[in-house]
Amino acid sequence: DQQVKQNSPSLSVQEGRISILNCDYTNSMFDYFLWYKKYPAEGPTFLISISSIKDKNEDGRFTVFLNKSAKHLSLHIVPSQPGDSAVYFCAAKETSGSRLTFGEGTQLTVNP
Amino acid sequence: EAGVVQSPRYKIIEKKQPVAFWCNPISGHNTLYWYRQNLGQGPELLIRYENEEAVDDSQLPKDRFSAERLKGVDSTLKIQPAELGDSAVYLCASSHPWGWNEQFFGPGTRLTVL
């Protein structure tokens, strides 16, 4: 079963606008969530994370929101830039252990 | 700081052949991970090492997959024999003992089994 799900395979936005990438999870034992960015022919790169004790974490243009009751998190990129075009993966970790469970990824395209 | 190095970057083999992937983690990173990423999917953990000890290999198909991390630095992942369904990108990652959440990934090896 897919415990972390990114329902949108792709997203296209205009430069300067907001990009919102969504992620849903089913495992209530997940307590730490991360977003990774991946360019073609490269490995994923850590972007931002959030603990379940918070509902928001901000780092520059990137903000992650966590809604525990809905088991939903989102990544906001404001303003979006063409260099943000990449595949974004949501990942989650259980309270015990360090295994990361990844979603399928969302291809973000930012058009100039 | 040099990143995680993987080789080869691409490998094409026929089914039933053996194949091996090599990974050199970031210097000082005690924890090493091997992931498999199928097309259109996120990475899935195959095995995690703490130094030379495999501490999580529950997802490794042990009938055909093996891994080793001699001396707790470089690691090799082997498939023998390869099957068509093994075609995927094999990613290696490493992290500090205290910074597991920020895993640094290598570029991966794209395996095609014909």
Side-chain angles (χ1 to χ4, degrees):
Chain A
D1 66 343
Q2 190 72 23
Q3 297 187 63
V4 177
K5 198 145 182 62
Q6 296 174 253
N7 289 311
S8 298
S10 63
L11 174 67
S12 183
V13 301
Q14 285 299 119
E15 180 178 5
R17 305 295 292 267
I18 184 172
S19 295
I20 300 177
L21 296 97
N22 294 303
C23 178
D24 297 294
Y25 62 97
T26 58
N27 187 343
S28 57
M29 298 301 291
F30 287 148
D31 69 342
Y32 202 88
F33 304 89
L34 306 90
W35 285 94
Y36 279 80
K37 179 169 72 173
K38 184 182 183 305
Y39 292 117
E42 295 183 12
T45 303
F46 171 74
L47 189 58
I48 192 170
S49 62
I50 187 167
S51 166
S52 60
I53 63 174
K54 294 185 175 182
D55 55 17
K56 176 182 175 181
N57 189 27
E58 200 169 348
D59 184 1
R61 297 185 297 112
F62 303 91
T63 303
V64 56
F65 295 91
L66 175 62
N67 183 332
K68 284 184 62 178
S69 60
K71 292 189 174 68
H72 177 84
L73 66 156
S74 60
L75 175 67
H76 292 210
I77 306 174
V78 183
S80 301
Q81 299 173 354
D84 296 330
S85 297
V87 177
Y88 289 79
F89 290 100
C90 167
K93 183 190 85 68
E94 290 189 12
T95 305
S96 59
S98 64
R99 173 194 295 258
L100 292 180
T101 301
F102 285 83
E104 308 95 318
T106 296
Q107 171 71 58
L108 172 66
T109 302
V110 180
N111 301 302
Chain B
E1 164 178 88
V4 176
V5 179
Q6 289 188 248
S7 69
R9 292 294 309 276
Y10 304 91
K11 189 74 177 179
I12 301 174
I13 61 172
E14 294 190 346
K15 62 181 181 182
K16 300 184 182 180
Q17 294 299 305
V19 64
F21 315 121
W22 176 81
C23 173
N24 181 246
I26 293 173
S27 177
H29 283 195
N30 293 8
T31 309
L32 183 145
Y33 314 76
W34 282 104
Y35 288 87
R36 177 170 59 189
Q37 184 178 9
N38 292 314
L39 189 64
Q41 300 294 317
E44 294 180 316
L45 181 70
L46 291 173
I47 189 168
R48 174 170 68 94
Y49 282 93
E50 295 290 345
N51 298 303
E52 64 274 9
E53 181 182 1
V55 296
D56 184 355
D57 64 355
S58 58
Q59 300 292 96
L60 189 72
K62 297 181 183 64
D63 57 337
R64 298 182 300 106
F65 285 66
S66 65
E68 61 182 13
R69 192 184 184 197
L70 301 176
K71 302 179 182 178
V73 180
D74 295 3
S75 178
T76 302
L77 177 69
K78 298 178 182 177
I79 309 175
Q80 183 172 9
E83 297 179 351
L84 295 176
D86 295 332
S87 294
V89 175
Y90 290 83
L91 293 161
C92 179
S94 68
S95 65
H96 294 291
W98 60 89
W100 63 266
N101 55 309
E102 189 168 350
Q103 297 180 21
F104 294 82
F105 284 82
T109 296
R110 180 176 294 279
L111 173 67
T112 302
V113 182
L114 303 176

